[in-house]
Amino acid sequence: MSELEILQMATPAAQALLSCMVSDAWQATKGRFARLLGRDSEGEIQIIEGDLEESRREILEGASDTSQVTAEVWKARFRQALLANPEMADDLRTLLSELGNDSDAGSERVKQNAVAKDNAVVFQQSSGVQNYYGSGKSNE
């Protein structure tokens, strides 16, 4: 397996991992990533699971650049694992294909469309709290 092929696998693997860290898919996929990287060595799997949880905590609590740094760290780890165990490439491909291109396994996609006519106001929000203190009258 060439260095280019390894990088072409390590980059999407790290991106998928980070996507799972911030989604509902985390609990379902954390162990799979750990077993893949630990090559079924129980001691290694436990260490990697701890590292994964630490990375997730840093992303959820961290600054805006934390995700990029974490992605680079895990990309390097996938690269090292693929160099040491080229046979894991098939297992990694399987995992990534199961997660899908957008790596949101376990999460549903929501598509929102809204049309405002006349003097109507449309608000759309995917999460959080929305407060509106308008009068409902036209701004004309």
Side-chain angles (χ1 to χ4, degrees):
M1 180 172 254
S2 74
E3 181 71 22
L4 179 59
E5 290 173 313
I6 289 172
L7 285 175
Q8 287 174 335
M9 289 194 72
T11 300
Q15 291 168 344
L17 177 63
L18 266 63
S19 292
C20 290
M21 284 181 179
V22 296
S23 76
D24 293 337
W26 180 240
Q27 293 306 318
T29 58
K30 173 182 69 171
R32 293 186 68 190
F33 278 109
R35 281 190 302 280
L36 183 69
L37 289 167
R39 298 308 295 162
D40 295 323
S41 164
E42 200 56 43
E44 270 303 301
I45 291 171
Q46 289 179 355
I47 291 168
I48 292 168
E49 281 185 343
D51 294 345
L52 287 167
E53 281 298 336
E54 179 67 19
S55 291
R56 181 174 190 254
R57 186 190 58 73
E58 289 172 359
I59 286 174
L60 295 177
E61 296 174 358
S64 60
D65 64 340
T66 304
S67 292
Q68 182 62 33
V69 171
T70 303
E72 290 299 319
V73 166
W74 285 101
K75 182 168 89 172
R77 289 189 70 171
F78 279 111
R79 182 182 167 276
Q80 289 171 338
L82 285 163
L83 284 170
N85 301 301
E87 67 277 0
M88 88 174 237
D90 289 336
D91 294 335
L92 182 57
R93 278 188 201 97
T94 300
L95 176 57
L96 294 177
S97 82
E98 288 174 9
L99 293 175
N101 291 337
D102 55 14
S103 304
D104 285 335
S107 298
E108 295 294 323
R109 285 283 189 204
V110 175
K111 183 176 181 180
Q112 296 180 334
N113 293 311
V115 176
K117 293 184 180 183
D118 301 322
N119 291 323
V121 177
V122 175
F123 296 96
Q124 290 185 308
Q125 184 171 336
S126 62
S127 65
V129 176
Q130 183 178 62
N131 297 306
Y132 174 66
Y133 299 105
S135 64
K137 296 181 183 177
S138 174
N139 290 333
E140 294 178 26

mmCIF file of all heavy atoms in Angstrom, residues 59-106:
data_model
loop_
_atom_site.group_PDB
_atom_site.id
_atom_site.type_symbol
_atom_site.label_atom_id
_atom_site.label_comp_id
_atom_site.label_asym_id
_atom_site.label_seq_id
_atom_site.Cartn_x
_atom_site.Cartn_y
_atom_site.Cartn_z
ATOM 1 N N ILE A 59 -13.059 18.160 22.073
ATOM 2 C CA ILE A 59 -13.837 18.759 20.989
ATOM 3 C C ILE A 59 -15.110 19.404 21.532
ATOM 4 O O ILE A 59 -15.457 20.528 21.162
ATOM 5 C CB ILE A 59 -14.192 17.708 19.918
ATOM 6 C CG1 ILE A 59 -12.952 17.381 19.114
ATOM 7 C CG2 ILE A 59 -15.298 18.210 18.993
ATOM 8 C CD1 ILE A 59 -13.137 16.270 18.137
ATOM 9 N N LEU A 60 -15.796 18.696 22.412
ATOM 10 C CA LEU A 60 -17.059 19.220 22.936
ATOM 11 C C LEU A 60 -16.856 20.435 23.823
ATOM 12 O O LEU A 60 -17.730 21.297 23.906
ATOM 13 C CB LEU A 60 -17.813 18.125 23.691
ATOM 14 C CG LEU A 60 -18.281 16.947 22.839
ATOM 15 C CD1 LEU A 60 -18.940 15.899 23.722
ATOM 16 C CD2 LEU A 60 -19.220 17.397 21.728
ATOM 17 N N GLU A 61 -15.707 20.534 24.479
ATOM 18 C CA GLU A 61 -15.445 21.654 25.387
ATOM 19 C C GLU A 61 -14.482 22.681 24.808
ATOM 20 O O GLU A 61 -14.290 23.740 25.397
ATOM 21 C CB GLU A 61 -14.835 21.121 26.694
ATOM 22 C CG GLU A 61 -15.743 20.224 27.473
ATOM 23 C CD GLU A 61 -15.057 19.613 28.682
ATOM 24 O OE1 GLU A 61 -13.844 19.857 28.901
ATOM 25 O OE2 GLU A 61 -15.733 18.880 29.423
ATOM 26 N N GLY A 62 -13.860 22.368 23.674
ATOM 27 C CA GLY A 62 -12.719 23.130 23.206
ATOM 28 C C GLY A 62 -13.007 24.355 22.375
ATOM 29 O O GLY A 62 -14.144 24.712 22.073
ATOM 30 N N ALA A 63 -11.917 24.990 22.006
ATOM 31 C CA ALA A 63 -11.936 26.179 21.159
ATOM 32 C C ALA A 63 -12.209 25.770 19.714
ATOM 33 O O ALA A 63 -12.232 24.589 19.375
ATOM 34 C CB ALA A 63 -10.592 26.902 21.264
ATOM 35 N N SER A 64 -12.367 26.768 18.871
ATOM 36 C CA SER A 64 -12.745 26.512 17.486
ATOM 37 C C SER A 64 -11.705 25.713 16.708
ATOM 38 O O SER A 64 -12.044 24.989 15.791
ATOM 39 C CB SER A 64 -13.021 27.827 16.771
ATOM 40 O OG SER A 64 -11.864 28.639 16.794
ATOM 41 N N ASP A 65 -10.426 25.825 17.044
ATOM 42 C CA ASP A 65 -9.398 25.095 16.307
ATOM 43 C C ASP A 65 -9.148 23.685 16.844
ATOM 44 O O ASP A 65 -8.364 22.934 16.275
ATOM 45 C CB ASP A 65 -8.095 25.884 16.283
ATOM 46 C CG ASP A 65 -7.493 26.069 17.664
ATOM 47 O OD1 ASP A 65 -8.225 25.929 18.663
ATOM 48 O OD2 ASP A 65 -6.285 26.364 17.743
ATOM 49 N N THR A 66 -9.822 23.304 17.910
ATOM 50 C CA THR A 66 -9.623 21.985 18.515
ATOM 51 C C THR A 66 -9.955 20.867 17.544
ATOM 52 O O THR A 66 -9.239 19.875 17.473
ATOM 53 C CB THR A 66 -10.477 21.844 19.791
ATOM 54 O OG1 THR A 66 -10.144 22.895 20.677
ATOM 55 C CG2 THR A 66 -10.256 20.509 20.465
ATOM 56 N N SER A 67 -11.027 21.016 16.781
ATOM 57 C CA SER A 67 -11.420 19.961 15.845
ATOM 58 C C SER A 67 -10.355 19.713 14.797
ATOM 59 O O SER A 67 -10.067 18.563 14.461
ATOM 60 C CB SER A 67 -12.741 20.321 15.161
ATOM 61 O OG SER A 67 -13.785 20.305 16.084
ATOM 62 N N GLN A 68 -9.757 20.766 14.281
ATOM 63 C CA GLN A 68 -8.721 20.612 13.250
ATOM 64 C C GLN A 68 -7.495 19.901 13.821
ATOM 65 O O GLN A 68 -6.951 18.994 13.197
ATOM 66 C CB GLN A 68 -8.325 21.978 12.673
ATOM 67 C CG GLN A 68 -7.293 21.901 11.583
ATOM 68 C CD GLN A 68 -7.759 21.114 10.374
ATOM 69 O OE1 GLN A 68 -8.928 21.126 10.031
ATOM 70 N NE2 GLN A 68 -6.850 20.411 9.742
ATOM 71 N N VAL A 69 -7.087 20.293 15.011
ATOM 72 C CA VAL A 69 -5.928 19.656 15.648
ATOM 73 C C VAL A 69 -6.234 18.187 15.932
ATOM 74 O O VAL A 69 -5.411 17.309 15.648
ATOM 75 C CB VAL A 69 -5.540 20.405 16.947
ATOM 76 C CG1 VAL A 69 -4.481 19.642 17.727
ATOM 77 C CG2 VAL A 69 -5.074 21.814 16.625
ATOM 78 N N THR A 70 -7.411 17.914 16.454
ATOM 79 C CA THR A 70 -7.801 16.540 16.762
ATOM 80 C C THR A 70 -7.872 15.698 15.492
ATOM 81 O O THR A 70 -7.442 14.540 15.481
ATOM 82 C CB THR A 70 -9.146 16.514 17.512
ATOM 83 O OG1 THR A 70 -9.022 17.311 18.693
ATOM 84 C CG2 THR A 70 -9.547 15.105 17.897
ATOM 85 N N ALA A 71 -8.389 16.271 14.416
ATOM 86 C CA ALA A 71 -8.453 15.547 13.142
ATOM 87 C C ALA A 71 -7.050 15.174 12.662
ATOM 88 O O ALA A 71 -6.824 14.049 12.195
ATOM 89 C CB ALA A 71 -9.167 16.386 12.088
ATOM 90 N N GLU A 72 -6.110 16.086 12.798
ATOM 91 C CA GLU A 72 -4.732 15.803 12.381
ATOM 92 C C GLU A 72 -4.108 14.705 13.232
ATOM 93 O O GLU A 72 -3.388 13.841 12.722
ATOM 94 C CB GLU A 72 -3.877 17.076 12.432
ATOM 95 C CG GLU A 72 -4.232 18.092 11.375
ATOM 96 C CD GLU A 72 -4.059 17.572 9.956
ATOM 97 O OE1 GLU A 72 -3.065 16.863 9.684
ATOM 98 O OE2 GLU A 72 -4.929 17.869 9.117
ATOM 99 N N VAL A 73 -4.396 14.732 14.537
ATOM 100 C CA VAL A 73 -3.865 13.695 15.441
ATOM 101 C C VAL A 73 -4.386 12.323 15.034
ATOM 102 O O VAL A 73 -3.626 11.357 14.900
ATOM 103 C CB VAL A 73 -4.232 14.013 16.912
ATOM 104 C CG1 VAL A 73 -3.991 12.812 17.809
ATOM 105 C CG2 VAL A 73 -3.466 15.230 17.397
ATOM 106 N N TRP A 74 -5.697 12.225 14.802
ATOM 107 C CA TRP A 74 -6.272 10.927 14.464
ATOM 108 C C TRP A 74 -5.911 10.505 13.045
ATOM 109 O O TRP A 74 -5.770 9.317 12.766
ATOM 110 C CB TRP A 74 -7.774 10.902 14.731
ATOM 111 C CG TRP A 74 -8.001 10.803 16.207
ATOM 112 C CD1 TRP A 74 -8.339 11.811 17.058
ATOM 113 C CD2 TRP A 74 -7.808 9.649 17.018
ATOM 114 N NE1 TRP A 74 -8.376 11.349 18.349
ATOM 115 C CE2 TRP A 74 -8.061 10.021 18.352
ATOM 116 C CE3 TRP A 74 -7.446 8.336 16.757
ATOM 117 C CZ2 TRP A 74 -7.967 9.114 19.408
ATOM 118 C CZ3 TRP A 74 -7.354 7.432 17.806
ATOM 119 C CH2 TRP A 74 -7.615 7.833 19.121
ATOM 120 N N LYS A 75 -5.734 11.455 12.151
ATOM 121 C CA LYS A 75 -5.270 11.114 10.807
ATOM 122 C C LYS A 75 -3.884 10.463 10.902
ATOM 123 O O LYS A 75 -3.617 9.452 10.254
ATOM 124 C CB LYS A 75 -5.224 12.360 9.923
ATOM 125 C CG LYS A 75 -4.792 12.061 8.499
ATOM 126 C CD LYS A 75 -5.035 13.241 7.587
ATOM 127 C CE LYS A 75 -3.856 14.144 7.565
ATOM 128 N NZ LYS A 75 -3.963 15.215 6.544
ATOM 129 N N ALA A 76 -3.020 11.022 11.747
ATOM 130 C CA ALA A 76 -1.683 10.450 11.940
ATOM 131 C C ALA A 76 -1.776 9.058 12.556
ATOM 132 O O ALA A 76 -1.019 8.151 12.178
ATOM 133 C CB ALA A 76 -0.839 11.371 12.813
ATOM 134 N N ARG A 77 -2.696 8.873 13.481
ATOM 135 C CA ARG A 77 -2.836 7.548 14.112
ATOM 136 C C ARG A 77 -3.349 6.512 13.121
ATOM 137 O O ARG A 77 -2.900 5.359 13.121
ATOM 138 C CB ARG A 77 -3.723 7.634 15.347
ATOM 139 C CG ARG A 77 -2.989 8.376 16.464
ATOM 140 C CD ARG A 77 -3.655 8.343 17.766
ATOM 141 N NE ARG A 77 -3.630 7.026 18.400
ATOM 142 C CZ ARG A 77 -4.022 6.838 19.652
ATOM 143 N NH1 ARG A 77 -4.411 7.861 20.389
ATOM 144 N NH2 ARG A 77 -4.009 5.633 20.182
ATOM 145 N N PHE A 78 -4.310 6.911 12.278
ATOM 146 C CA PHE A 78 -4.783 5.986 11.244
ATOM 147 C C PHE A 78 -3.651 5.667 10.266
ATOM 148 O O PHE A 78 -3.477 4.520 9.850
ATOM 149 C CB PHE A 78 -5.984 6.562 10.477
ATOM 150 C CG PHE A 78 -7.284 6.394 11.208
ATOM 151 C CD1 PHE A 78 -7.947 7.486 11.732
ATOM 152 C CD2 PHE A 78 -7.869 5.144 11.355
ATOM 153 C CE1 PHE A 78 -9.146 7.340 12.400
ATOM 154 C CE2 PHE A 78 -9.071 4.978 12.029
ATOM 155 C CZ PHE A 78 -9.717 6.081 12.555
ATOM 156 N N ARG A 79 -2.871 6.675 9.914
ATOM 157 C CA ARG A 79 -1.740 6.482 9.004
ATOM 158 C C ARG A 79 -0.750 5.478 9.599
ATOM 159 O O ARG A 79 -0.314 4.539 8.929
ATOM 160 C CB ARG A 79 -1.053 7.815 8.726
ATOM 161 C CG ARG A 79 0.097 7.723 7.759
ATOM 162 C CD ARG A 79 0.766 9.098 7.576
ATOM 163 N NE ARG A 79 2.033 8.929 6.905
ATOM 164 C CZ ARG A 79 3.187 8.611 7.505
ATOM 165 N NH1 ARG A 79 3.237 8.439 8.808
ATOM 166 N NH2 ARG A 79 4.291 8.476 6.813
ATOM 167 N N GLN A 80 -0.388 5.677 10.870
ATOM 168 C CA GLN A 80 0.552 4.765 11.527
ATOM 169 C C GLN A 80 -0.006 3.343 11.581
ATOM 170 O O GLN A 80 0.714 2.376 11.351
ATOM 171 C CB GLN A 80 0.851 5.251 12.938
ATOM 172 C CG GLN A 80 1.693 6.500 12.985
ATOM 173 C CD GLN A 80 1.784 7.077 14.393
ATOM 174 O OE1 GLN A 80 0.940 6.805 15.243
ATOM 175 N NE2 GLN A 80 2.804 7.897 14.620
ATOM 176 N N ALA A 81 -1.296 3.230 11.906
ATOM 177 C CA ALA A 81 -1.909 1.905 11.995
ATOM 178 C C ALA A 81 -1.928 1.213 10.633
ATOM 179 O O ALA A 81 -1.663 0.011 10.537
ATOM 180 C CB ALA A 81 -3.327 2.025 12.549
ATOM 181 N N LEU A 82 -2.213 1.978 9.577
ATOM 182 C CA LEU A 82 -2.228 1.396 8.237
ATOM 183 C C LEU A 82 -0.830 1.002 7.772
ATOM 184 O O LEU A 82 -0.667 -0.003 7.074
ATOM 185 C CB LEU A 82 -2.871 2.377 7.247
ATOM 186 C CG LEU A 82 -4.388 2.490 7.347
ATOM 187 C CD1 LEU A 82 -4.888 3.752 6.645
ATOM 188 C CD2 LEU A 82 -5.065 1.246 6.784
ATOM 189 N N LEU A 83 0.172 1.795 8.144
ATOM 190 C CA LEU A 83 1.553 1.434 7.795
ATOM 191 C C LEU A 83 1.967 0.153 8.507
ATOM 192 O O LEU A 83 2.620 -0.720 7.922
ATOM 193 C CB LEU A 83 2.516 2.566 8.163
ATOM 194 C CG LEU A 83 2.520 3.771 7.231
ATOM 195 C CD1 LEU A 83 3.328 4.910 7.840
ATOM 196 C CD2 LEU A 83 3.078 3.392 5.859
ATOM 197 N N ALA A 84 1.593 0.016 9.771
ATOM 198 C CA ALA A 84 1.969 -1.159 10.548
ATOM 199 C C ALA A 84 1.137 -2.382 10.177
ATOM 200 O O ALA A 84 1.628 -3.515 10.256
ATOM 201 C CB ALA A 84 1.814 -0.868 12.043
ATOM 202 N N ASN A 85 -0.123 -2.154 9.785
ATOM 203 C CA ASN A 85 -1.039 -3.258 9.483
ATOM 204 C C ASN A 85 -1.820 -2.951 8.208
ATOM 205 O O ASN A 85 -3.000 -2.582 8.278
ATOM 206 C CB ASN A 85 -2.036 -3.451 10.629
ATOM 207 C CG ASN A 85 -1.360 -3.755 11.935
ATOM 208 O OD1 ASN A 85 -0.649 -4.733 12.035
ATOM 209 N ND2 ASN A 85 -1.568 -2.903 12.916
ATOM 210 N N PRO A 86 -1.211 -3.099 7.050
ATOM 211 C CA PRO A 86 -1.911 -2.785 5.802
ATOM 212 C C PRO A 86 -3.190 -3.596 5.606
ATOM 213 O O PRO A 86 -4.112 -3.156 4.941
ATOM 214 C CB PRO A 86 -0.891 -3.111 4.707
ATOM 215 C CG PRO A 86 0.422 -3.190 5.375
ATOM 216 C CD PRO A 86 0.171 -3.516 6.814
ATOM 217 N N GLU A 87 -3.258 -4.767 6.248
ATOM 218 C CA GLU A 87 -4.455 -5.603 6.117
ATOM 219 C C GLU A 87 -5.686 -4.985 6.779
ATOM 220 O O GLU A 87 -6.805 -5.395 6.515
ATOM 221 C CB GLU A 87 -4.199 -7.014 6.671
ATOM 222 C CG GLU A 87 -3.983 -7.092 8.169
ATOM 223 C CD GLU A 87 -2.557 -6.777 8.619
ATOM 224 O OE1 GLU A 87 -1.696 -6.486 7.781
ATOM 225 O OE2 GLU A 87 -2.318 -6.823 9.833
ATOM 226 N N MET A 88 -5.496 -3.974 7.639
ATOM 227 C CA MET A 88 -6.654 -3.339 8.272
ATOM 228 C C MET A 88 -7.414 -2.433 7.299
ATOM 229 O O MET A 88 -8.502 -1.984 7.588
ATOM 230 C CB MET A 88 -6.256 -2.566 9.527
ATOM 231 C CG MET A 88 -5.841 -1.132 9.323
ATOM 232 S SD MET A 88 -5.551 -0.284 10.877
ATOM 233 C CE MET A 88 -6.675 1.066 10.738
ATOM 234 N N ALA A 89 -6.835 -2.191 6.115
ATOM 235 C CA ALA A 89 -7.469 -1.313 5.129
ATOM 236 C C ALA A 89 -8.867 -1.805 4.753
ATOM 237 O O ALA A 89 -9.796 -1.004 4.634
ATOM 238 C CB ALA A 89 -6.592 -1.182 3.895
ATOM 239 N N ASP A 90 -9.020 -3.111 4.582
ATOM 240 C CA ASP A 90 -10.337 -3.648 4.216
ATOM 241 C C ASP A 90 -11.354 -3.410 5.324
ATOM 242 O O ASP A 90 -12.501 -3.040 5.056
ATOM 243 C CB ASP A 90 -10.246 -5.139 3.901
ATOM 244 C CG ASP A 90 -9.525 -5.404 2.590
ATOM 245 O OD1 ASP A 90 -9.500 -4.504 1.723
ATOM 246 O OD2 ASP A 90 -8.973 -6.513 2.441
ATOM 247 N N ASP A 91 -10.948 -3.626 6.581
ATOM 248 C CA ASP A 91 -11.852 -3.388 7.704
ATOM 249 C C ASP A 91 -12.213 -1.911 7.810
ATOM 250 O O ASP A 91 -13.355 -1.564 8.110
ATOM 251 C CB ASP A 91 -11.217 -3.859 9.019
ATOM 252 C CG ASP A 91 -11.019 -5.366 9.051
ATOM 253 O OD1 ASP A 91 -11.754 -6.081 8.343
ATOM 254 O OD2 ASP A 91 -10.119 -5.823 9.782
ATOM 255 N N LEU A 92 -11.242 -1.042 7.555
ATOM 256 C CA LEU A 92 -11.495 0.397 7.608
ATOM 257 C C LEU A 92 -12.451 0.809 6.498
ATOM 258 O O LEU A 92 -13.375 1.583 6.727
ATOM 259 C CB LEU A 92 -10.182 1.169 7.520
ATOM 260 C CG LEU A 92 -10.292 2.692 7.612
ATOM 261 C CD1 LEU A 92 -10.969 3.124 8.901
ATOM 262 C CD2 LEU A 92 -8.904 3.323 7.504
ATOM 263 N N ARG A 93 -12.242 0.276 5.289
ATOM 264 C CA ARG A 93 -13.158 0.571 4.181
ATOM 265 C C ARG A 93 -14.580 0.140 4.521
ATOM 266 O O ARG A 93 -15.535 0.855 4.246
ATOM 267 C CB ARG A 93 -12.701 -0.144 2.910
ATOM 268 C CG ARG A 93 -11.627 0.557 2.165
ATOM 269 C CD ARG A 93 -11.366 -0.118 0.800
ATOM 270 N NE ARG A 93 -10.061 0.243 0.326
ATOM 271 C CZ ARG A 93 -8.965 -0.480 0.453
ATOM 272 N NH1 ARG A 93 -8.997 -1.653 1.045
ATOM 273 N NH2 ARG A 93 -7.809 -0.045 -0.007
ATOM 274 N N THR A 94 -14.708 -1.031 5.127
ATOM 275 C CA THR A 94 -16.032 -1.535 5.507
ATOM 276 C C THR A 94 -16.691 -0.605 6.512
ATOM 277 O O THR A 94 -17.862 -0.238 6.357
ATOM 278 C CB THR A 94 -15.917 -2.953 6.097
ATOM 279 O OG1 THR A 94 -15.353 -3.818 5.113
ATOM 280 C CG2 THR A 94 -17.270 -3.480 6.532
ATOM 281 N N LEU A 95 -15.950 -0.211 7.522
ATOM 282 C CA LEU A 95 -16.498 0.690 8.543
ATOM 283 C C LEU A 95 -16.925 2.016 7.929
ATOM 284 O O LEU A 95 -18.025 2.506 8.181
ATOM 285 C CB LEU A 95 -15.478 0.921 9.660
ATOM 286 C CG LEU A 95 -15.873 1.911 10.756
ATOM 287 C CD1 LEU A 95 -17.183 1.510 11.436
ATOM 288 C CD2 LEU A 95 -14.752 2.040 11.767
ATOM 289 N N LEU A 96 -16.074 2.590 7.099
ATOM 290 C CA LEU A 96 -16.407 3.876 6.484
ATOM 291 C C LEU A 96 -17.600 3.764 5.555
ATOM 292 O O LEU A 96 -18.442 4.669 5.503
ATOM 293 C CB LEU A 96 -15.194 4.447 5.743
ATOM 294 C CG LEU A 96 -14.013 4.834 6.617
ATOM 295 C CD1 LEU A 96 -12.854 5.322 5.763
ATOM 296 C CD2 LEU A 96 -14.406 5.874 7.648
ATOM 297 N N SER A 97 -17.726 2.664 4.833
ATOM 298 C CA SER A 97 -18.880 2.514 3.947
ATOM 299 C C SER A 97 -20.161 2.324 4.759
ATOM 300 O O SER A 97 -21.209 2.811 4.370
ATOM 301 C CB SER A 97 -18.675 1.381 2.957
ATOM 302 O OG SER A 97 -18.974 0.138 3.513
ATOM 303 N N GLU A 98 -20.076 1.643 5.892
ATOM 304 C CA GLU A 98 -21.248 1.495 6.755
ATOM 305 C C GLU A 98 -21.677 2.825 7.347
ATOM 306 O O GLU A 98 -22.867 3.073 7.554
ATOM 307 C CB GLU A 98 -20.965 0.488 7.869
ATOM 308 C CG GLU A 98 -20.895 -0.938 7.378
ATOM 309 C CD GLU A 98 -20.478 -1.911 8.458
ATOM 310 O OE1 GLU A 98 -20.394 -1.515 9.648
ATOM 311 O OE2 GLU A 98 -20.207 -3.078 8.115
ATOM 312 N N LEU A 99 -20.696 3.689 7.632
ATOM 313 C CA LEU A 99 -21.026 5.010 8.164
ATOM 314 C C LEU A 99 -21.590 5.910 7.076
ATOM 315 O O LEU A 99 -22.288 6.873 7.372
ATOM 316 C CB LEU A 99 -19.786 5.661 8.779
ATOM 317 C CG LEU A 99 -19.239 4.992 10.025
ATOM 318 C CD1 LEU A 99 -17.941 5.650 10.466
ATOM 319 C CD2 LEU A 99 -20.259 4.999 11.139
ATOM 320 N N GLY A 100 -21.302 5.614 5.841
ATOM 321 C CA GLY A 100 -21.789 6.419 4.726
ATOM 322 C C GLY A 100 -20.849 7.566 4.446
ATOM 323 O O GLY A 100 -19.935 7.861 5.210
ATOM 324 N N ASN A 101 -21.079 8.230 3.333
ATOM 325 C CA ASN A 101 -20.203 9.322 2.916
ATOM 326 C C ASN A 101 -20.184 10.463 3.902
ATOM 327 O O ASN A 101 -19.187 11.132 4.078
ATOM 328 C CB ASN A 101 -20.617 9.851 1.543
ATOM 329 C CG ASN A 101 -20.345 8.854 0.461
ATOM 330 O OD1 ASN A 101 -19.505 7.979 0.610
ATOM 331 N ND2 ASN A 101 -21.064 8.961 -0.630
ATOM 332 N N ASP A 102 -21.312 10.736 4.544
ATOM 333 C CA ASP A 102 -21.361 11.875 5.452
ATOM 334 C C ASP A 102 -21.036 11.481 6.883
ATOM 335 O O ASP A 102 -21.009 12.331 7.758
ATOM 336 C CB ASP A 102 -22.725 12.551 5.389
ATOM 337 C CG ASP A 102 -23.868 11.590 5.645
ATOM 338 O OD1 ASP A 102 -23.649 10.470 6.132
ATOM 339 O OD2 ASP A 102 -25.003 11.972 5.355
ATOM 340 N N SER A 103 -20.834 10.198 7.150
ATOM 341 C CA SER A 103 -20.406 9.698 8.463
ATOM 342 C C SER A 103 -21.347 10.051 9.601
ATOM 343 O O SER A 103 -20.937 10.201 10.728
ATOM 344 C CB SER A 103 -19.008 10.231 8.798
ATOM 345 O OG SER A 103 -18.122 9.887 7.790
ATOM 346 N N ASP A 104 -22.600 10.168 9.312
ATOM 347 C CA ASP A 104 -23.582 10.475 10.350
ATOM 348 C C ASP A 104 -24.387 9.232 10.711
ATOM 349 O O ASP A 104 -25.601 9.267 10.808
ATOM 350 C CB ASP A 104 -24.548 11.582 9.886
ATOM 351 C CG ASP A 104 -23.895 12.944 9.907
ATOM 352 O OD1 ASP A 104 -22.948 13.124 10.677
ATOM 353 O OD2 ASP A 104 -24.342 13.819 9.147
ATOM 354 N N ALA A 105 -23.728 8.119 10.906
ATOM 355 C CA ALA A 105 -24.428 6.897 11.255
ATOM 356 C C ALA A 105 -25.212 7.103 12.533
ATOM 357 O O ALA A 105 -24.722 7.664 13.489
ATOM 358 C CB ALA A 105 -23.435 5.752 11.431
ATOM 359 N N GLY A 106 -26.431 6.643 12.531
ATOM 360 C CA GLY A 106 -27.261 6.784 13.708
ATOM 361 C C GLY A 106 -27.991 8.105 13.783
ATOM 362 O O GLY A 106 -28.823 8.296 14.652
#
